Amino acid sequence: MSSTKKPFVFEIRYTTDIPRRIGRGQDGDPIYAPLPATSWRVCLRYFEAVASFLAGRTDRMPRLGAIAKIAHGTILSIKSDRTKEDLFGPKALVVIKDDDRPTEKRRPRIFDPVYVPALLMLAAAGGSFRFNDSKPKRDAQGQLLKADDRRFYVSFGRRAGQNVRVLRIISDPARGQQVHRSIRQFDANYHYDHRKSTMALRLDDSARSTGHSAGLSRKGRAAAIKAAGEHYERAIKLRGRDCVQHLGKSRGEYERQLTRVFALADEFHMALVKRRRSK
């Protein structure tokens, strides 16, 4: 990654259509066209700015800027909301299409801005984000549950070995750790917030009670990056190598870039946390 001094233009574009879906696989997995090269370069430039900030080459805080113009996969729109920053940090509001329930609308999910381009890059080879419904639509008596009684958690991928919760992608827990929501007790809408500071990691409940971890198989960031690599290979089979060459000359290079940008996002997030604590 080379440094850049090109300014970012802040603009927001909203869309109601599913961007560039080209079909479904035999397993029902929606297939999207890869992220265009221009949008990929926008994400790379953002992380070049992050790296420059962390290295002390600039004191200019990276901004989402042109990233807020990108719609890809099930990500329909991105909006940076700096006016509502709270003790957990800045907010980026991301509208994600529920591809399994197209008639139902989902409220925007809240992310640390730095993880938004990383998630776009994760889905760049044609993967997508989905919603896992934590409860059925009806209770034991067959009565429809109120919308507030259902929780929809965002996950990445759905093929065998995929379906990784975004909470675990961002928090990157160790084997045998669960992700708990530190804001759950005082915020009824906690499930919308995916900012890293709202999460807490602890030993899997089953591991604590039995002395071994049934949660060792829980998937995390590494599994999500592996899933992205699988989408990279699928894109080549469907459309040829040229459609993903800009993401990396090989699956391995693409996965290494994803590992690098998530590491930068983690480091930048920690820098912001330290800055807030020092005030």
Side-chain angles (χ1 to χ4, degrees), residues 16-67:
T16 56
D17 297 325
I18 299 177
R20 307 177 73 229
R21 193 175 76 187
I22 61 177
R24 285 185 181 270
Q26 292 182 347
D27 54 3
D29 184 31
I31 301 172
Y32 291 87
L35 186 70
T38 52
S39 297
W40 177 259
R41 287 194 292 269
V42 168
C43 293
L44 284 179
R45 286 198 295 269
Y46 176 87
F47 282 106
E48 289 170 359
V50 169
S52 294
F53 179 83
L54 292 172
R57 294 191 292 271
T58 177
D59 57 0
R60 182 181 179 184
M61 293 281 288
R63 299 285 187 265
L64 285 182
I67 288 171

Side-chain angles (χ1 to χ4, degrees), residues 14-19 32 72-78 92-102 104-111 116 119-120 128-132 152-156 166 170 191-192 194:
Y14 292 92
T15 177
T16 56
D17 297 325
I18 299 177
Y32 291 87
H72 173 68
T74 46
I75 294 180
L76 299 183
S77 67
I78 300 165
L93 306 180
V94 180
V95 176
I96 301 172
K97 177 71 175 180
D98 192 337
D99 211 4
D100 297 310
R101 309 167 189 85
E104 299 183 21
K105 293 183 178 180
R106 302 283 165 248
R107 288 176 57 177
R109 267 43 184 181
I110 304 169
F111 294 91
V116 174
L119 293 174
L120 280 169
S128 62
F129 297 94
R130 62 178 304 214
F131 286 94
N132 285 330
F152 294 89
Y153 293 97
V154 184
S155 295
F156 176 69
V166 172
I170 292 174
H191 56 291
Y192 298 125
H194 289 64

Side-chain angles (χ1 to χ4, degrees), residues 84-92 109-113 115 153 166-168 170-172 178-202 269-270 273 276-277:
K84 295 185 178 180
E85 181 172 342
D86 55 24
L87 59 88
F88 297 112
K91 298 180 179 180
R109 267 43 184 181
I110 304 169
F111 294 91
D112 297 296
Y115 287 101
Y153 293 97
V166 172
L167 291 173
R168 296 183 66 83
I170 292 174
S171 60
D172 195 23
Q178 287 182 326
V179 181
H180 291 261
R181 311 312 309 284
S182 56
I183 61 172
R184 183 172 185 167
Q185 58 185 343
F186 59 87
D187 186 351
N189 295 321
Y190 70 92
H191 56 291
Y192 298 125
D193 202 325
H194 289 64
R195 288 176 295 173
K196 193 166 187 175
S197 292
T198 68
M199 307 175 200
L201 302 179
R202 73 184 190 197
H269 174 266
M270 183 55 64
V273 169
R276 288 199 301 272
R277 289 175 178 174

